[in-house]
Amino acid sequence: MSLQIPLRERSNGVAGATKAVILVGGASRGTRFRPLSLDVPKPLFDVAGHPIIWHCLTAIEKVPSIQEVYLIGYYEESVFRDFIKDASTQFPNLTIKYLREYQALGTAGGLYHFRDAILKGRPEHIFVLNSDVCCSFPLNEMLKLAQEKDAEAVILGTRVSEEAATNFGCIVSDAHTRRVLHYVEKPESYISNLINCGVYLFSTDAIFPSIRTAIKRRTDRPRLASYRSSENLASSFMLDDEAESEKNEVIRLEQDILSDMADNKQFFVYETKDFWRQIKTAGSAIPANALYLQKAMQNGSQELAPPSANIIPPVYIHPTAHVHPTAKLGPNVSIGPRATVDAGARVKESIVLEDAEIKHDACVLYSIIGWSSRVGAWARVEGTPTPVTSHNTSIVKNGVKVQAITILGKECAVGDEVRVQNCVCLPFKELKRDVANEVIM
Ligand code: GTP
C-alpha cells in the first residue's frame, strides 16, 4: 500500500510542516524610525501601499508547507489586532497569531519563551524573519537548500561593499559547499562582505537546544556574558540589579547563537542576488518603497496605477486618494488613503501618507509626507537621492551629517511657496519660512 502525501507537502517535497515567525520588536524599539514611529508601530508602517510585515506574509504564503505564522513582540495585544484581521482575509491559507513577550527577550529569547506554541503540531522547520528588512524573501529556495544539505540552519546572505560590511553580521562561508564557517556580528575589522539579511530557516531539533545552551552559558557566567543592551532605553533608568536581571533574560540570535552554530551545526548560507535593504531609519522607508514598487511592477501587479503621460511607473495610488490628472507622479511614489494631490503638483520618489494634502504646483521629491500633513501651493519639499547601492540614509552637506530624506511627521504644515530641504520635522509643526538641513522639534 502506498502512502498518500498531501498536495501542499508534496509540491515542495518537504515531509514535515514548517512554521514562520516574524520578529516585530516593541514600542521601545524603532527609535531610529522616529518621527514616524511616534504615530504607528514600525512593522505596520505602509511602504508600497502595505504595512511592512504584509510584504513578509506575501512571501510566507508562497511556501506551501506553512500554515501558521506567529508575530512575536512586546507591543500591547491590541496593536496588531486589526492587521491580523485584515491579513487573515488576504492570506486565507495562513493562521496568524500575535505572541506577546512580557518584556524584550531578544531575537532568540522570544522564540524560546514561546517554544511550546511553536512546536505544537511538530513542525520540522521554522523560518524566522526580522520585520525590519525589505527583500524578496526567497524562502522556498532556502528550504530547498536545507533539504539538499540536510541543514540544521540556513541563513539568507547578501553581498555589500567592503566599507559597509562591518555594520552588519558577517558570514565567512565555503564558496563551494556554502557551509557557514564563521559568523561575527558587526566585527571590528573586515572579515567578509557576505552579510546576514535577518532571515533564517532552522530545524526545530537544532534551534531550541542551541538557545538552551546559550541560556545555560549565561546563567553559569552571567556577569561575563551580559552587556548593556544599547537599544533597551528603559534599562538606562533602572537600578543596576534590575537592569542586570533584565539583561540576563535577553538572548540574541546574532550575538549568542549564530557564531556557535557555525562552529558545531550543519549551518549553510543562501546568497540572494536580489534586492535587500534594512528598514531602520525613517528615511530608509523610501528605498524600501521603491524596491517593493519595482518588484510589484515586475510581477505585473494590478494594484499599481497604469502608466500615462503623468504617471511614471511604478506608482501606487490608494483607491480613495484624489490625484488631479495634471499632477505628475513617479517613479517610486505611494499615495495613501484619502490623500489629495492637486493640479500641477509634482511628486517623485516619495511616500504621501493617509489624509495628506499636496496643494497645486507643489513639488515633493525624496520625501515622506506624514498623515494629515499639508504642503502648500508652490511649496518645495525635498530630500537628496542616495546611490542605489547605498545602505546609508544620511549624507554630508557642508561638512554636517544630515538625513538624505525629508520627513514631515503627522499633521505638519508647509506654507505656500516655502522650501524645505533635508529636514526631519516632528509632528504638528508649521513651517512658514524656508529651512534646510535641520531637525525641527
Ligand atoms: P541593530 O541592527 O544591531 O542596530 O539592532 P536593531 O535594534 O535595529 O535590530 P535587531 O537586529 O536587534 O532586531 C532585528 C529584528 O528583531 C527587528 O525586527 C526587531 O524589531 C526585532 N527584535 C529585536 N529585539 C527583539 C525582542 O526583544 N523581541 C522581539 N520579539 N523582537 C525583537
Side-chain angles (χ1 to χ4, degrees):
M1 200 179 83
S2 67
L3 270 178
Q4 287 283 307
I5 302 169
L7 192 65
R8 273 176 75 78
E9 292 174 4
R10 221 182 321 149
S11 53
N12 70 353
V14 175
T18 310
K19 292 193 184 186
V21 169
I22 306 176
L23 296 169
V24 292
S28 67
R29 305 199 74 83
T31 51
R32 281 179 280 170
F33 204 68
R34 286 179 187 163
L36 302 172
S37 54
L38 295 173
D39 291 292
V40 76
K42 184 169 81 167
L44 296 180
F45 183 80
D46 277 354
V47 292
H50 296 284
I52 289 172
I53 50 173
W54 183 93
H55 297 280
C56 304
L57 291 175
T58 314
I60 291 170
E61 196 197 30
K62 297 200 176 93
V63 181
S65 57
I66 302 182
Q67 269 140 24
E68 258 178 82
V69 185
Y70 302 109
L71 312 180
I72 299 187
Y74 51 99
Y75 288 101
E76 284 183 16
E77 302 281 345
S78 56
V79 166
F80 293 100
R81 204 170 286 147
D82 289 349
F83 172 80
I84 290 179
K85 219 157 109 196
D86 292 349
S88 303
T89 11
Q90 285 170 38
F91 305 98
N93 294 333
L94 300 176
T95 304
I96 306 159
K97 291 183 188 145
Y98 176 57
L99 301 177
R100 184 183 179 188
E101 291 162 35
Y102 55 95
Q103 64 174 45
L105 296 176
T107 45
L111 285 181
Y112 194 71
H113 185 70
F114 291 111
R115 62 194 179 281
D116 289 347
I118 296 171
L119 290 173
K120 204 166 163 214
R122 299 161 58 95
E124 257 180 44
H125 293 97
I126 52 166
F127 278 105
V128 178
L129 279 63
N130 285 357
S131 60
D132 58 0
V133 298
C134 149
C135 70
S136 55
F137 299 105
L139 306 183
N140 278 314
E141 290 82 345
M142 290 172 72
L143 204 46
K144 191 160 165 259
L145 180 69
Q147 286 176 272
E148 276 168 22
K149 305 284 186 184
D150 197 16
E152 294 175 293
V154 174
I155 185 171
L156 184 67
T158 191
R159 301 270 171 195
V160 296
S161 68
E162 285 196 15
E163 308 80 70
T166 51
N167 297 318
F168 301 97
C170 293
I171 303 162
V172 177
S173 65
D174 181 316
H176 182 63
T177 63
R178 301 203 249 173
R179 188 166 178 159
V180 177
L181 304 173
H182 199 42
Y183 179 88
V184 189
E185 184 64 21
K186 300 189 180 78
E188 276 176 24
S189 51
Y190 176 81
I191 58 161
S192 162
N193 71 340
L194 182 59
I195 60 135
N196 176 1
C197 291
V199 181
Y200 317 90
L201 174 65
F202 296 115
S203 99
T204 45
D205 286 345
I207 184 63
F208 295 107
S210 294
I211 303 177
R212 198 172 304 126
T213 308
I215 293 172
K216 188 162 183 320
R217 195 166 49 225
R218 175 148 306 172
T219 322
D220 292 347
R221 294 194 306 153
R223 290 199 179 262
L224 280 178
S226 69
Y227 45 82
R228 183 164 283 274
S229 155
S230 61
E231 67 284 353
N232 192 340
L233 292 176
S235 68
S236 329
F237 304 104
M238 285 175 187
L239 297 171
D240 271 2
D241 282 355
E242 251 181 296
E244 196 66 46
S245 69
E246 178 158 311
K247 277 181 279 166
N248 287 344
E249 289 192 59
V250 171
I251 299 282
R252 302 199 278 188
L253 282 173
E254 306 81 353
Q255 283 86 347
D256 304 316
I257 311 288
L258 297 181
S259 127
D260 268 11
M261 281 200 151
D263 290 341
N264 53 40
K265 295 276 183 231
Q266 290 284 337
F267 185 13
F268 292 86
V269 53
Y270 180 83
E271 187 181 328
T272 177
K273 303 279 184 218
D274 213 347
F275 65 92
W276 179 83
R277 283 290 182 294
Q278 276 187 308
I279 309 176
K280 294 285 186 198
T281 59
S284 59
I286 289 297
N289 182 58
L291 291 164
Y292 278 140
L293 285 173
Q294 284 157 23
K295 185 176 163 228
M297 185 164 74
Q298 279 162 16
N299 293 343
S301 165
Q302 295 299 306
E303 274 187 357
L304 297 181
S308 68
N310 280 336
I311 300 284
I312 307 161
V315 170
Y316 169 85
I317 303 174
H318 190 274
T320 58
H322 289 283
V323 176
H324 194 275
T326 60
K328 188 165 180 173
L329 267 52
N332 304 323
V333 165
S334 293
I335 308 286
R338 298 177 305 279
T340 55
V341 184
D342 289 348
R346 175 77 178 103
V347 185
K348 178 178 165 181
E349 303 281 351
S350 294
I351 300 175
V352 177
L353 293 164
E354 219 166 300
D355 296 307
E357 279 178 85
I358 313 293
K359 291 297 182 191
H360 70 87
D361 300 294
C363 184
V364 174
L365 311 172
Y366 299 93
S367 297
I368 299 175
I369 308 300
W371 308 268
S372 305
S373 284
R374 179 187 185 276
V375 177
W378 296 101
R380 201 175 162 92
V381 176
E382 61 182 324
T384 306
T386 48
V388 269
T389 53
S390 171
H391 288 272
N392 200 341
T393 55
S394 57
I395 52 164
V396 176
K397 274 180 97 179
N398 307 328
V400 182
K401 200 167 151 189
V402 295
Q403 284 304 310
I405 301 299
T406 285
I407 294 154
L408 304 185
K410 183 182 178 175
E411 287 186 45
C412 288
V414 176
D416 293 351
E417 296 175 35
V418 168
R419 185 169 189 191
V420 182
Q421 269 181 301
N422 297 97
C423 285
V424 174
C425 185
L426 266 64
F428 310 113
K429 297 290 157 200
E430 200 177 340
L431 305 178
K432 295 181 180 160
R433 270 175 277 116
D434 292 0
V435 265
N437 313 328
E438 273 187 48
V439 175
I440 299 143
M441 318 251 265

